[in-house]
Amino acid sequence: MNDRTMKAVLFDRFGGPEVLYVGRVPRPEAAPGEVLVRVHAFSVNGADPATRSGTYRLLTGRRFPQGVGLDFTGEVAALGTGAAGVAVGDRVWGIVGRASGFGSAAEYVAVPADRVGLVPEGLDLIAAAALPIATTAVTALRDKAALRPGERLLVRGAAGGVGSTAVQLGTAYGAEVTGLARAANLDFVRALGARHAVDHRSVAPADLGSYDVVLDTAGTGLRAFRRLLKPGGRMVTITPDPKRLLASLGYIAASTVHGRRRVRAFSGNPRRGDFDTVARLVSEGKLSPAVDTVFPLEETAAAHRALEAGGVRGKYLVRVVEG
């Protein structure tokens, strides 16, 4: 097999999980300032089905084939000129940029050196793939919401990828955490550190009480959850409503200038310092990977189906390396 190509998960048209297949594409090279990483595993995030189905076609375009995958763990295989802070053989985790080509669902990725961090010693590289997305929770709670000890934090989607890390982080930051999840996942959410776990299907938002910070991972019903904020409260959402994309983006934008209870939104773009924060929290025992199921690369479509079916506990991971 030509060693200048690699396996990658691709799709040639927008659609359901069935459009995904494992094909071969040119293996990337590390440009100046980049590192080439041999990928061990990646996770399936909410943005992946949206990309695959065409919801984000205005951003991704219509040129095919396209790839999926946002985060990854692996080993540094090569350094581009001027790449600093890591060495060949280092165990790293990171998130690919928007111009990364085929995404992280591949045998290799080339990314800027400052977009990866070192995986803590003793943490398995496969399980570690559940944690690069924790940088989103760090940015949301530490930077955007400035969560303080003793404050009341509500996490929507508390059993999911970002939500499960947010519950752990909120607890580590000294907040009183309430997690919303399916009834079957409430014990799981409590085990993550939530003081309260509530079935989101059985309680209307208006009956949830008031909060200093609301972290939204769903993008739906933002107006109703915004009303739960105390004076001076902060709401952070990590995604617009995929079914009402333009209207949702418009509401988020309007909320940043009208009213005291503003909705903060951001697009995750972590750098090494963010990954170092996650590594420190892992080393201190305040954050750990929550892994639901690990799929082989050839079953990435099954991982997409599982995520879209709902009910995930932590992350669905895909193993790229053999064995």
Side-chain angles (χ1 to χ4, degrees):
M1 184 64 67
N2 185 344
D3 62 4
R4 294 190 178 184
T5 67
M6 67 174 183
K7 291 181 180 179
V9 179
L10 308 169
F11 59 97
D12 294 327
R13 68 186 191 281
F14 296 124
E18 70 279 358
V19 304
L20 296 177
Y21 66 94
V22 177
R24 299 200 72 88
V25 297
R27 173 176 160 175
E29 296 183 358
E34 290 187 337
V35 296
L36 180 68
V37 178
R38 179 175 178 250
V39 176
H40 280 226
F42 60 91
S43 78
V44 180
N45 295 279
D48 289 322
T51 298
R52 184 209 69 226
S53 65
T55 300
Y56 295 154
R57 61 169 61 91
L58 292 178
L59 301 176
T60 62
R62 294 175 176 271
R63 292 186 61 183
F64 296 105
Q66 293 187 23
V68 294
L70 177 66
D71 50 30
F72 61 88
T73 59
E75 296 181 6
V76 176
L79 301 175
T81 304
V86 293
V88 172
D90 279 349
R91 296 166 6 112
V92 296
W93 49 20
I95 292 179
V96 298
R98 295 172 184 79
S100 60
F102 291 105
S104 65
E107 291 181 302
Y108 290 87
V109 294
V111 295
D114 66 349
R115 299 302 174 91
V116 301
L118 297 177
V119 173
E121 290 297 326
L123 184 60
D124 175 73
L125 272 181
I126 303 301
L131 287 177
I133 202 66
T135 56
T136 299
V138 168
T139 300
L141 298 181
R142 182 193 65 186
D143 302 335
K144 299 297 182 180
L147 181 67
R148 296 184 290 270
E151 290 192 315
R152 299 194 71 211
L153 166 66
L154 177 68
V155 178
R156 295 186 70 193
V162 174
S164 62
T165 61
V167 169
Q168 295 180 71
L169 288 174
T171 301
Y173 292 156
E176 179 185 333
V177 181
T178 296
L180 293 180
R182 293 187 176 194
N185 290 339
L186 297 185
D187 286 344
F188 170 73
V189 172
R190 293 188 190 96
L192 294 171
R195 186 177 303 182
H196 314 286
V198 180
D199 177 5
H200 71 95
R201 294 177 173 178
S202 66
V203 179
D207 297 326
L208 289 169
S210 59
Y211 296 87
D212 300 286
V213 175
V214 174
L215 174 58
D216 166 69
T217 68
T220 57
L222 296 183
R223 193 183 305 272
F225 284 93
R226 185 185 182 191
R227 294 192 185 105
L228 305 184
L229 294 176
K230 298 179 180 180
R234 293 87 68 199
M235 181 172 176
V236 182
T237 183
I238 65 169
T239 183
D241 183 347
K243 294 182 179 179
R244 302 175 61 251
L245 190 58
L246 294 180
S248 180
L249 289 171
Y251 176 75
I252 293 170
S255 75
T256 64
V257 277
H258 297 293
R260 293 180 301 168
R261 297 176 175 85
R262 298 182 179 181
V263 179
R264 296 160 170 83
F266 67 96
S267 178
N269 203 22
R271 295 182 181 274
R272 183 170 298 151
D274 300 307
F275 292 111
D276 290 345
T277 295
V278 172
R280 175 178 55 79
L281 290 164
V282 171
S283 297
E284 293 174 351
K286 296 176 179 177
L287 182 64
S288 60
V291 179
D292 187 306
T293 308
V294 180
F295 296 82
L297 184 67
E298 290 72 19
E299 294 182 18
T300 301
H304 276 233
R305 289 189 189 94
L307 184 68
E308 291 180 286
V312 63
R313 294 187 175 193
K315 297 291 289 183
Y316 292 123
L317 306 182
V318 177
R319 179 194 297 269
V320 179
V321 296
E322 299 290 339

